[in-house]
Structures are given as C-alpha cells and as structure tokens.
C-alpha cells in the first residue's frame, strides 16, 4: 500500500496497493465478506491420514520455531479462547472445515496483536502450532481503521502481488523489501470511527513492512487496517504455502497464479486459504454484512 508508514502524513485516498510500484488499482464495490458456503481448499481425496496430519503438524511447528523469530508463548486459556472465537467467526461466515488444514487466527485486540498458525480439524479439535506478533489497524488518524473481524479468503478472487521495495516520500518501504509477498483480501467492511455506528469499506491486505524502520513497531496496533507481518513470518508463510492451497491449485492451469507463488515453495499438504480475524477484547463482535460505502485505503 502506498500510504503505509506515513506517520501523521496526509495523502490522497486510494486503494491498498503498492501504487508506487505500478500495481493496478482495484475497482470498488465488491462484497466485503464472502457469505457463501465454503468450498474446501483440499479435496477429500487429498486429505492426510490422522498419523500423517500429526507428523506434518509437528514438522511445521518445528519449522516455524526455527525460521521465525519472536515466538509468542500462549497460555492454554488464551489459546483456547482464540480457538473458540475463531470457530464462532468461521461459523458466522460459513467457513466449513471438512478436512485437516491450516488457518491463520489474527487477534486484533490492542493487547493481542498476534497471529496464530492453527491446525483446524473437522471435529472441532483445533491446535495452535505457533504464534507471532503482528500489527493490525489503529483507528483515530487519517485513513486509519480497525482491521475487520471475519474470514479473509485467499481463494484467488484477488491475485495479490509482490512488493517492489520502493520507498515513499518518508523513505519508508511500506510493503517491505523487494519480493515480499502481499496477500490481497479485497474490500472489507469496517467501523468508521468518524461517525458512531457508521461503516465503510477498506482494502485489506497482509504484508511485510520496512525492516529497518517499522518492523520494531510490530506487536501494537499501528497500520491503516492491513495486517503487517515481520519479514521472517512473511517469508515462512510464503515459502510453505500456508494459506495458498487455492493459489497452488489454480496455478496448475494459469501462469498468473503460478508466478505468484514463491520460487522456493515447499508446499505443505495441510495448506488452507483462510485468515480468521478475531478480537479477544470484544468477544461478542460479529462480522458486518456487505455494504456499499466509500472505499478508502489502508
């Protein structure tokens, strides 16, 4: 996104894209949440056996610990609370888990600001495999809004792209260094803090940030509405294809999707396609239905 990292800056309203790098601006007016029956990323025939699922989950847990610094230690109570919230949101947003697969649970709560890589299973027995700090939206400043609660699907309807590593006028690389993955979840409905009870649409993406300037701020609400990742977490999710199951499938017949995937891809057979944003400080919050509103950037 072109405006990321502009502390206190006033910039024109624009979609959440790396516009400085020449990425195309999306058309507004899309539904904010895909409230339709979910088609699983994996086919039932490809689902792992219980023993293979345990082995792959163990491998991913160890890989995340080795490759991504800054582990967040969750208590059993905190882990269970996140899972319960994520399952509730998944049910509200019609995300049905039909075989073991990974989901990313993001807690936007001011004291949360974390992402939990979670093994979701059809019987409701979900398990956090690792957690790291991220940053979500901080309302109250120009073009800054809460990251919306709900299911964000990486199902190929928005292609995403890779950062060009360009600097903005404050000499900040808002999307991180060149080559960092940007996952695009399209237009989503969020609170409009400027008017009590009002909502609006913002473009939500998940991406890295400038490792030399802004990465040290990860772990507190700081973005315009996107999900900011540490560099090492971005690389891990990208290389392992954690939520790229649908992109991998589409890439079998479409070079555009195939080109988006990491050249170092080591895909996990547990790959899914969903990020579930929750708010542990507001456990009763529900996703908004799709609305038509002014599209602002993150």
């Amino acid at each position: 996104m072109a405006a990321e990292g502009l502390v206190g800056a006033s910039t024109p309203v624009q979609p959440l894209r790396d516009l400085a790098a020449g990425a195309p601006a999306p058309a507004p007016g899309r539904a904010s949440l895909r409230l339709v029956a979910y088609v699983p990323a994996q086919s039932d025939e490809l689902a792992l056996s219980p023993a293979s699922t345990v082995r792959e989950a163990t491998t991913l847990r160890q890989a995340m610990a080795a490759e991504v610094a800054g582990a967040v230690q969750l208590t059993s109570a905190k882990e269970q609370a996140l899972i319960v919230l994520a399952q509730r949101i998944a049910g509200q947003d019609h995300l049905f888990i039909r075989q073991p697969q990974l989901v990313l649970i993001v807690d936007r709560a001011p004291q949360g600001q974390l992402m939990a890589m979670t093994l979701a299973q059809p019987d409701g027995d979900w398990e956090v495999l690792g957690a790291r700090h991220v940053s979500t939206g901080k309302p109250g400043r120009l073009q800054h809004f809460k990251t919306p609660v709900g299911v964000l699907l990486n199902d190929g309807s928005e292609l995403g792209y890779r950062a060009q590593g360009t600097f903005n006028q404050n000499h900040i690389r808002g999307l991180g260094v060149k080559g960092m993955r940007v996952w695009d979840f399209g237009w989503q409905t969020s609170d409009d803090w400027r008017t009590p009870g009002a909502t609006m649409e913002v473009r939500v993406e998940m991406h890295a940030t400038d490792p030399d300037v802004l990465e040290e701020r990860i772990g507190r609400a700081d973005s315009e509405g996107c999900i900011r990742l540490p560099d090492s977490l971005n690389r891990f999710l990208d290389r392992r294809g954690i939520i790229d199951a649908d992109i991998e499938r589409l890439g079998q017949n479409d070079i555009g999707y195939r080109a988006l995937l990491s050249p170092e891809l080591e895909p996990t057979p547990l790959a899914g396609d969903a990020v579930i944003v929750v708010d542990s400080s507001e456990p009763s919050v529900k996703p908004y239905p799709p609305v038509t509103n002014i599209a602002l950037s993150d």
Side-chain angles (χ1 to χ4, degrees), residues 192-210:
D192 186 350
W193 57 271
R194 301 166 300 182
T195 304
T199 61
M200 65 177 305
E201 290 196 335
V202 295
R203 190 84 179 187
V204 178
E205 294 177 340
M206 184 171 76
H207 57 77
T209 191
D210 193 309

Side-chain angles (χ1 to χ4, degrees), residues 178-189:
K178 185 175 181 178
M180 288 291 96
R181 180 75 176 274
V182 180
W183 290 266
D184 188 345
F185 302 111
W187 298 98
Q188 306 290 335
T189 306

Side-chain angles (χ1 to χ4, degrees), residues 3 33 46 49 54 80 94 112 129 154 170 190 198 204 247 250 270 274-275 279:
L33 290 174
L46 296 178
S49 68
V54 171
Q80 188 57 34
H94 303 275
L129 304 181
N154 184 43
N170 286 352
S190 185
V204 178
I247 304 301
L250 292 166
L270 289 175
V275 176
D279 191 328

Side-chain angles (χ1 to χ4, degrees), residues 204-259:
V204 178
E205 294 177 340
M206 184 171 76
H207 57 77
T209 191
D210 193 309
D212 300 323
V213 180
L214 293 181
E215 186 159 324
E216 65 182 18
R217 295 163 58 143
I218 284 178
R220 59 184 178 184
D222 197 43
S223 80
E224 295 172 9
C226 286
I227 302 168
R228 290 183 188 170
L229 308 175
D231 182 282
S232 60
L233 179 56
N234 184 292
R235 294 178 187 274
F236 175 80
L237 299 177
D238 184 26
R239 183 171 58 254
R240 299 284 176 167
I242 299 299
I243 59 167
D244 279 333
D246 287 333
I247 304 301
E248 291 178 39
R249 175 177 54 81
L250 292 166
Q252 294 175 6
N253 299 305
D254 189 312
I255 191 174
Y257 291 102
R258 190 161 63 249

Side-chain angles (χ1 to χ4, degrees), residues 7 23 99 141 215 236:
V7 180
Q99 68 282 311
R141 292 161 50 196
E215 186 159 324
F236 175 80

